[in-house]
Amino acid sequence: MAKPRVAIFDFTGCEGCELSQLNFEDQLLDILAQVDIVEWREAMDDKADEYDIAFVEGALSTPDCIKRIHDIRRRTKVLVALGACAVDGGVNAIKNLHPIEEVRATVYGQDQYLFPTLPALPLSAVVKVDYNVRGCPMTQAEFLRVFTSLVMGKQFEEPDLAVCVECKLNENECVYERGMICLGPVTRAGCNSHCTNFGQYCIGCRGLVSEPNLKGMNEVLTSHGLAVDEAWKRLQLYNAYRLQGVRA
Amino acid sequence: MAQYFLEQARVADFVAHLLASNTVYAPHRKGSRSYAFAKADDPAAVVLDYPRTLSSVKKFFLPPREVLLNFDLTLDAASVPPVEPGNAVFLGVHSYDLAAVRRLDFNFTTGNPERNYLARRDGARFIGVSYVPDKFHFAGSVGIDPYDMTGCDMFLTKHADGWIVDIPTGEGSELAAGFKLEAHDEPKPPRAHFTQHVFVPQARLGKVMEASYDHPVWNETADACLGCGTCNLVCPTCYCFNVQENVDIACTSGQRERSWDGCMLRGFTEVAGGEFFREKVAARQRHRVYRKFKYISDVTGQPWCVGCGRCTASCTAKISIVEIVNRLIRDSERDESILT
Ligand code: SF4
Ligand code: SF4
C-alpha cells in the first residue's frame, strides 16, 4: 500500500495546533514513517498538487481564505479540521459579535481598505470536513486517534458526550461543589477532563456537545448562585460562532 | 453474638493493624468536601465517618477503564491481559454499597459469568460501617438498614466514643486477630432516621412504573436535564460499558479498552447506520428509572436502586430520583386500577 500523501495548512489562528504536532517529538518519526508529507508551510518549502489527507488549522476570516479552502478541498480526499479555530471558529469568532466594519476599523485603522475581512467561520461553514480534532490547542491524543484511523482506513468515532463523563471516570469532585462555573456539562469530552483533573474549571475549548441543553445550563448556574452572564461570556470564548443568535 | 468496642482514639491503630498484613481500601477525603475510596497507606488519613463517596467500591471490581485485549497486527496475534485477584480488605463500606455489590454479583454471574469482575471480586473482605443518613440517602425505603451487616466480615456501628464492633464471620475474626478489643455488651444506639422516603415498596412499584410510561414527568425532567450521564456513572448498580479499540502510532499493535458508559448519554443509544434508539432525553430518563425500579426488579423482585442518593447528590441540575418516583406513585395511586 502506498503511503498516504499528507498536506498541512493553516488559516487564521495562532498556529499553536501545528506547533503541538511538532511537539510530538517522540512520535514524529513514527508519523513520518507512515505518510509522505508533501506540503507544510511551517516546516518545509515544497508544494504539491494533490493529497490524500489535508490537515487544516485555523478559522476562515478573509475572502482569500475562502478561495484557498475550496482549493484545498478540491485537491484532497480527506479533510481534517485541527483545533478549536478550524472546528468551531474558535476565539476568532468573538469578532462576529461586533459589526464587521467596526472590527476592521479598530484593528487596521487607516489601512483598513488594504485588508478585506469577513466574519470568522469554521471550515465546515464553507467546505465538507471529514474529521475534527478538537481543543485549544488540539488534543494530541485525539490527533493520534484520527491519524491512526486514517492510516488504517477505519472510521474515527468523534466523542459526543460531556466532560462530566470523564470527570466521573476520573472520580473528580464536581467543580460546582467548589462554587465555580464549569462549562463541562455542555462541552465535548475527549480531553480526559484535563483541566478539572488539575483543579481547574472547564473553559469549553473542545466546543459544545451536539445537543447542549443551554436553558438547563442557565438553570444550573442560577440554582448554584453563579453569574449567568459571566458563564455566557466564557461560553462565547470558543463557541461564539455556534451561539450566534442564541441568547443567555 | 459477641460485641466489642473500638475507641475513636484507636481507629488509626486498628487501620495500621489491618495494613500490616493486608491491602486495604478505605474512604479518604477528596477535593474540598468529598470522599473517595483509595488504597490506605497513612492510617490517619482514613475516614470512617462520611456521608457517601463519589464512586462506590464498584470501581475496584469493574474499573472505569480496563484493557480487555492486547493485539499485535504484524503477528496477527492477541493476548488477554491477566487480571489480578482482588484479595483486598474494603474498610468503611456502607450497607447500601454492599447491597449494590450483591446486585452486581447477580448481574455478572447471570448468563455469561463476567471473568474480570469475578476475578477482581475474589478474596474481597468487607468491614462495614454505619452512617447517619443525610438529605439524599433513602436506603431505608428500599429495605437496606444503615446497621445491616449482610456480607460483612466485620461491622462498625457508630457510638458517641467510638465504634461498636461486630465480627460475624471467620474471616472477620482473622482480620481482628492480634488486635485487642474489649467486649461490649450495651445495645447499639438507635438508628438516625431517614429524611428521604420512597412512599411504596417494590412490590407495588412495578405496577406504578407500568402505569407511568407516558407520564409528563419524563418530558418535564428532560427540560432541566443536561444529558451528562453523571447519574449513571456514579450509580453503584450501573454496569453498562463501551468497548473501543485503539492502535499505537505505528499502527502495529493496539488495545481493546472497556470503559463505563451510561444510558443517559446520547451516543449510548446510537447504533450502526447512525440511528438513535432512544433519541429523546425524556426517553433516556425513563429508561434509567425503569432500570432501577422495573426491568431488573420485575425479574428479581428487588429494587435495583440501593438508595445511596448519589445520582441526586451529583446531579448539577438537582434532578431527584426520589421526587420522580414519588410523583409517579402519587399520580398512579389516583388511578383506581392501581389501588385495587
Ligand atoms: S446527572 Fe442530572 S443532568 Fe446529568 S444526565 Fe443525570 S439527571 Fe440529567
Ligand atoms: S439510582 Fe441513584 S440512589 Fe439509586 S443506587 Fe443508583 S445512584 Fe444510588
Side-chain angles (χ1 to χ4, degrees):
Chain A
M1 200 173 65
K3 287 182 184 178
R5 291 159 56 83
V6 167
I8 299 164
F9 302 94
D10 56 281
F11 287 90
T12 309
C14 69
E15 302 192 354
C17 295
E18 285 188 55
L19 285 172
S20 79
Q21 277 180 47
L22 288 171
N23 280 347
F24 275 140
E25 283 126 11
D26 295 344
Q27 291 121 327
L28 194 59
L29 287 177
D30 283 321
I31 294 178
L32 293 175
Q34 303 189 68
V35 296
D36 276 329
I37 296 193
V38 293
E39 191 167 338
W40 189 358
R41 185 190 59 78
E42 197 165 334
M44 60 192 270
D45 292 328
D46 289 352
K47 285 188 181 298
D49 293 332
E50 277 189 357
Y51 354 98
D52 295 305
I53 308 167
F55 289 107
V56 184
E57 179 212 40
L60 310 172
S61 65
T62 65
D64 184 54
C65 293
I66 309 280
K67 256 176 48 206
R68 273 177 65 217
I69 192 67
H70 277 301
D71 186 49
I72 292 166
R73 182 69 260 193
R74 265 195 299 276
R75 291 165 194 260
T76 191
K77 293 191 184 120
V78 174
L79 194 154
V80 182
L82 290 190
C85 298
V87 175
D88 279 319
V91 291
N92 306 286
I94 293 174
K95 79 170 183 181
N96 303 4
L97 302 172
H98 306 276
I100 193 77
E101 290 314 319
E102 200 181 299
V103 171
R104 197 170 165 195
T106 309
V107 175
Y108 298 112
Q110 60 181 10
D111 295 329
Q112 59 177 297
Y113 300 104
L114 299 174
F115 298 98
T117 185
L118 295 172
L121 300 171
L123 306 183
S124 60
V126 176
V127 295
K128 176 171 176 277
V129 171
D130 299 293
Y131 298 104
N132 292 320
V133 179
R134 291 168 178 272
C136 177
M138 67 167 182
T139 307
Q140 288 204 356
E142 190 161 67
F143 175 81
L144 290 180
R145 276 197 294 277
V146 170
F147 180 84
T148 51
S149 301
L150 285 169
V151 171
M152 304 219 18
K154 305 261 186 242
Q155 181 131 3
F156 167 71
E157 207 187 306
E158 183 169 41
D160 185 16
L161 29 86
V163 174
C164 296
V165 170
E166 289 170 343
C167 256
K168 296 303 157 306
L169 263 56
N170 293 323
E171 210 178 355
N172 293 337
E173 179 182 57
C174 181
V175 171
Y176 283 93
E177 280 289 308
R178 286 182 285 141
M180 294 193 286
I181 297 170
C182 181
L183 300 183
V186 288
T187 300
R188 246 176 229 261
C191 52
N192 189 26
S193 60
H194 184 80
C195 295
T196 50
N197 293 352
F198 289 98
Q200 285 297 322
Y201 45 81
C202 171
I203 56 169
C205 79
R206 288 180 46 82
L208 294 168
V209 291
S210 65
E211 292 185 353
N213 180 354
L214 294 168
K215 245 182 69 204
M217 183 72 188
N218 282 352
E219 288 297 313
V220 167
L221 294 161
T222 312
S223 73
H224 284 82
L226 296 165
V228 173
D229 50 343
E230 167 64 23
W232 271 73
K233 275 188 207 148
R234 290 198 205 166
L235 261 181
Q236 280 173 327
L237 183 60
Y238 288 104
N239 296 290
Y241 175 80
R242 206 167 142 197
L243 292 175
Q244 271 170 111
V246 182
R247 299 274 334 131
Chain B
M1 193 175 22
Q3 280 187 348
Y4 305 90
F5 197 77
L6 174 64
E7 301 80 7
Q8 185 57 41
R10 292 182 68 221
V11 168
D13 292 344
F14 177 61
V15 178
H17 163 80
L18 293 171
L19 278 173
S21 39
N22 301 284
T23 302
V24 178
Y25 296 99
H28 289 68
R29 293 193 167 277
K30 174 127 192 192
S32 62
R33 44 198 277 199
S34 305
Y35 299 88
F37 274 94
K39 192 156 182 263
D41 166 31
D42 169 13
V46 168
V47 185
L48 292 182
D49 200 357
Y50 67 99
R52 69 178 57 65
T53 49
L54 293 165
S55 287
S56 73
V57 286
K58 173 183 84 177
K59 68 178 180 179
F60 297 108
F61 312 134
L62 182 71
R65 300 180 177 90
E66 70 182 299
V67 174
L68 297 179
L69 197 71
N70 292 308
F71 53 85
D72 188 311
L73 295 165
T74 50
L75 302 173
D76 201 10
S79 64
V80 177
V83 176
E84 302 290 321
N87 280 329
V89 173
F90 296 89
L91 169 65
V93 184
H94 289 170
S95 52
Y96 51 77
D97 274 351
L98 257 173
V101 170
R102 288 195 294 281
R103 283 161 173 76
L104 290 177
D105 288 348
F106 173 88
N107 291 126
F108 285 137
T109 49
T110 308
N112 290 323
E114 219 301 310
R115 193 182 58 95
N116 288 12
Y117 172 89
L118 294 172
R120 292 200 180 88
R121 176 79 176 74
D122 207 32
R125 281 146 297 155
F126 295 98
I127 303 180
V129 288
S130 68
Y131 64 98
V132 177
D134 70 0
K135 61 177 174 177
F136 298 113
H137 291 110
F138 58 99
S141 303
V142 288
I144 306 161
D145 188 285
Y147 289 0
D148 181 1
M149 47 178 129
T150 314
C152 291
D153 299 297
M154 294 179 81
F155 192 84
L156 314 178
T157 307
K158 183 89 178 119
H159 177 282
D161 306 317
W163 304 84
I164 299 169
V165 183
D166 286 280
I167 309 182
T169 68
E171 275 90 352
S173 306
E174 270 172 44
L175 289 174
F179 188 79
K180 181 115 189 64
L181 287 168
E182 298 296 338
H184 179 88
D185 47 19
E186 283 162 46
K188 292 182 181 178
R191 303 157 171 69
H193 292 294
F194 283 94
T195 57
Q196 288 280 299
H197 304 275
V198 169
F199 299 151
V200 304
Q202 184 61 45
R204 279 165 67 196
L205 272 184
K207 271 199 151 176
V208 169
M209 294 295 151
E210 211 169 300
S212 308
Y213 197 82
D214 295 314
H215 195 283
V217 76
W218 309 124
N219 278 322
E220 286 164 28
T221 310
D223 286 343
C225 172
L226 302 171
C228 70
T230 291
C231 47
N232 298 137
L233 297 159
V234 298
C235 180
T237 68
C238 276
Y239 52 83
C240 287
F241 54 80
N242 189 19
V243 175
Q244 272 194 319
E245 284 172 0
N246 285 313
V247 294
D248 70 337
I249 182 65
C251 299
T252 51
S253 65
Q255 298 186 318
R256 177 178 298 167
E257 199 188 83
R258 164 160 84 181
S259 55
W260 290 353
D261 206 339
C263 58
M264 287 305 295
L265 298 167
R266 179 177 151 84
F268 181 87
T269 76
E270 185 180 8
V271 287
E275 284 298 312
F276 290 83
F277 58 82
R278 268 192 297 277
E279 182 145 36
K280 295 260 176 294
V281 174
R284 303 208 286 270
Q285 189 65 256
R286 175 178 57 211
H287 183 77
R288 168 171 90 95
V289 174
Y290 276 27
R291 287 287 298 178
K292 299 299 152 192
F293 293 105
K294 177 162 173 55
Y295 297 141
I296 309 179
S297 309
D298 282 351
V299 177
T300 63
Q302 279 190 326
W304 231 241
C305 164
V306 294
C308 70
R310 283 188 179 89
C311 53
T312 306
S314 306
C315 176
T316 51
K318 307 197 176 175
I319 291 168
S320 156
I321 195 164
V322 173
E323 277 172 29
I324 293 176
V325 173
N326 282 341
R327 195 169 150 202
L328 299 180
I329 293 168
R330 264 196 309 268
D331 289 351
S332 67
E333 297 223 317
R334 265 188 233 128
D335 180 344
E336 290 295 307
S337 65
I338 300 289
L339 275 179
T340 50

